Amino acid sequence: RARMLARLGTEAADAIDELLNLALAYDETEAPTLQGFLSRLRQGQREIKRDMEQGRDEVRVMTVHGAKGLEAPIVFLPDTCSTRSARRPNELLLLEEAERQSGLPAPFLWPIKGMSKVEAVQAARRRVRLADTEERNRLLYVALTRARDRLYVAGFEGAHRPPPDCWYNLIKEGLAGRLDEVKGPDGHTVWRLRSEQAVPPAAGRTRASAATDAVPLPAWASAAAPQEPLLTQPLVPSRLAPLERGAPAEALGGAARDRRHPVEPAILSPAQLTDDHRFLRGNLTHALLEHLPGVPQRGWAAAAAAFLARHGGQLSAQVRRAIADETLGILQDPALAQLFGPDSRAEVPIAAEFPHPDRSGPALRLTGKIDRLVKTDSSVLILDYKTNRPPPADPQSVAEAYLFQLAAYRLGVAQIFPESPVEAAILWTDGPQFMKMPADLLDTYQSRLWERAAG
């Protein structure tokens, strides 16, 4: 790298870095072969855009096109006596004047010897020359406007005199009558356009002398950076009160027992359950409740059976049938129809930030996903699905983890719907049983959110 930068200059660093990034990215996604990497490079077109720094103590050589948007105190245009175009001679010509059937595009022609007198060919070449002239004029404007203080326009003659429309002649003709003829040190004539400086130069040291003076480093440059204050506390509602996997089921309550054994022991014994099956029943039920409401009702049973066969193949047919019957019983219950109507949304991601109640600590940053959000005429309802078997008898017996979760979601949704009361409920799929959480119970857990998030 050092040798390449020494040879090509510091500006080559951007291209080198990009090449290394492409190589590393290719190595992570494909078989790492040189042939495959070169093939990937050939297939794509990449452009590296750099923010060209100003005021660097160096001479920068670039094309006029590459200098767009840049400025320098002094600019040299060393070659202005040529009108060479990037277009190759005898390239394809577009014959827009050629006769053709209506609706057909203009044909292309590869000119050969003896076709120069054809009117359509002459018209096409005139159009090409005009386009080249307009492009050169645009580039000339860019070249003339890059200099802040001085612009040097130079050129050289070969065996033939420069063409009349070269940049040197265009600039000289455009400034006719305003140029002073001056003899250079070698006796050659130089034309100079000069404007008097309106403001006297500032007295003081030059940039070169100022750069040689040593400046002591400030104290903070050698000290370790202080730890930044905590601005927000991240909060994931589903992890506020974890259900430990290794604890005995009797100690953790019904919710943990369901996570340890998500199906009836009569169907699948605890010894047969693996970690992969631990959450499978709940995940399948959640997915069916998310997607089936978007399917015509007559197709619910077939869609549920096909989904469970594909994603729950490791479960027995009896278990899959039980999951389907349980889900269809929920969706077909008239008392629960509003929960899955057009004013409801499934798997709603939520992100919110709210300050500490007494402004004494960092704000709370909430991220999570609500199983279902329902907008009714009088309120907004947060609905959470639980597959515990059997469900608790009353809201006060609900696991603490679920109450923290609903309190956090209610706090976030209340910021989105400030004009509507926000309620929360759990839909126990076993039954099914719809249980609305009392507001005062959620208030209690909401007041403990900052303490629990910090812990």
Side-chain angles (χ1 to χ4, degrees):
R1 181 187 183 91
R3 291 170 62 187
M4 293 177 71
L5 295 180
R7 173 67 178 86
L8 301 175
T10 56
E11 293 179 358
D14 293 330
I16 297 173
D17 293 341
E18 182 63 17
L19 178 65
L20 294 177
N21 292 335
L22 292 174
L24 292 174
Y26 180 83
D27 188 46
E28 293 176 354
T29 59
E30 306 289 343
T33 65
L34 177 60
Q35 182 178 2
F37 177 58
L38 294 178
S39 177
R40 170 74 66 85
L41 291 181
R42 292 191 185 100
Q43 292 174 1
Q45 293 184 352
R46 294 171 177 84
E47 182 179 354
I48 302 175
K49 294 187 177 180
R50 295 178 286 121
D51 183 13
M52 304 292 285
E53 299 179 15
Q54 300 296 319
R56 298 171 62 176
D57 189 17
E58 63 184 21
V59 176
R60 184 178 299 135
V61 180
M62 62 180 61
T63 64
V64 176
H65 190 274
K68 288 182 178 179
L70 303 179
E71 186 184 62
I74 301 174
V75 172
F76 290 85
L77 303 182
D79 181 13
T80 59
C81 292
S82 172
T83 57
R84 289 177 297 177
S85 172
R87 183 180 175 87
R88 298 179 180 177
N90 297 327
E91 283 190 353
L92 285 174
L93 296 175
L94 179 63
L95 305 182
E96 295 186 356
E97 289 81 4
E99 296 183 4
R100 58 188 182 275
Q101 294 182 2
S102 176
L104 291 180
F108 284 89
L109 171 71
W110 195 297
I112 60 176
K113 185 177 180 180
M115 301 193 66
S116 300
K117 296 182 180 180
V118 179
E119 177 57 32
V121 174
Q122 293 179 354
R125 285 178 170 166
R126 286 195 297 269
R127 193 163 49 252
V128 169
R129 287 194 296 269
L130 178 61
D132 285 347
T133 300
E134 292 176 349
E135 176 63 16
R136 288 199 307 272
N137 289 341
R138 285 190 290 267
L139 290 175
L140 175 58
Y141 171 80
V142 172
L144 294 177
T145 53
R146 297 310 92 199
R148 183 168 66 238
D149 297 328
R150 290 186 183 184
L151 172 67
Y152 290 88
V153 180
F156 60 91
E157 295 183 0
H160 305 282
R161 296 187 62 82
D165 58 345
C166 69
W167 282 4
Y168 190 92
N169 291 334
L170 292 178
I171 296 172
K172 185 177 178 181
E173 293 172 4
L175 298 176
R178 304 177 60 189
L179 297 176
D180 299 329
E181 185 175 343
V182 181
K183 289 294 183 179
D186 55 359
H188 287 84
T189 301
V190 176
W191 286 270
R192 176 181 295 169
L193 173 65
R194 193 174 203 173
S195 58
E196 296 299 330
Q197 185 163 318
V199 179
R205 296 176 301 171
T206 64
R207 184 179 63 178
S209 62
T212 59
D213 295 340
V215 178
L217 287 175
W220 57 262
S222 56
Q227 185 175 1
E228 294 186 4
L230 183 63
L231 300 180
T232 60
Q233 289 185 157
L235 171 64
V236 180
S238 60
R239 301 177 185 173
L240 284 170
L243 299 170
E244 295 84 353
R245 295 173 55 183
E250 294 76 10
L252 295 177
R257 287 198 300 273
D258 179 54
R259 293 192 178 225
R260 290 170 60 87
H261 311 299
V263 294
E264 297 85 352
I267 297 175
L268 191 62
S269 67
Q272 294 173 304
L273 279 173
T274 65
D275 286 345
D276 293 336
H277 296 152
R278 192 178 301 271
F279 301 102
L280 184 56
R281 181 179 187 124
N283 291 341
L284 293 174
T285 303
H286 275 65
L288 289 175
L289 291 175
E290 176 186 358
H291 297 295
L292 284 184
V295 177
Q297 185 172 355
R298 62 181 180 274
W300 282 354
F307 178 85
L308 292 172
R310 179 167 185 175
H311 298 280
Q314 56 268 60
L315 300 177
S316 67
Q318 186 179 0
V319 175
R320 297 198 300 269
R321 186 163 53 253
I323 295 174
D325 292 342
E326 185 177 82
T327 306
L328 293 177
I330 295 173
L331 296 177
Q332 293 170 351
D333 189 338
L336 303 177
Q338 188 180 20
L339 302 179
F340 303 94
D343 291 329
S344 64
R345 295 290 183 272
E347 298 296 320
V348 179
I350 181 172
E353 185 174 308
F354 15 83
H356 197 281
D358 57 7
R359 309 287 177 175
S360 61
L364 206 60
R365 185 172 72 251
L366 165 70
T367 57
K369 184 175 289 187
I370 299 173
D371 289 345
R372 200 159 194 93
L373 192 64
V374 185
K375 183 74 167 65
T376 66
D377 294 336
S378 58
S379 64
V380 176
L381 176 65
I382 300 169
L383 186 63
D384 201 34
Y385 306 138
K386 301 300 178 187
T387 57
N388 298 36
R389 293 170 174 258
D394 52 63
Q396 284 69 26
S397 302
V398 173
E400 187 178 61
Y402 301 158
L403 296 175
F404 271 121
Q405 183 177 5
L406 291 176
Y409 285 150
R410 188 184 67 158
L411 185 60
V413 173
Q415 304 239 348
I416 304 174
F417 299 96
E419 305 299 327
S420 301
V422 178
E423 300 175 331
I426 295 178
L427 178 60
W428 309 97
T429 60
D430 184 24
Q433 181 179 350
F434 176 79
M435 183 182 292
K436 186 172 292 187
M437 298 294 108
D440 56 349
L441 180 62
L442 294 181
D443 290 341
T444 301
Y445 282 88
Q446 178 177 313
S447 64
R448 298 169 54 192
L449 283 176
W450 279 263
E451 174 188 351
R452 182 53 59 101

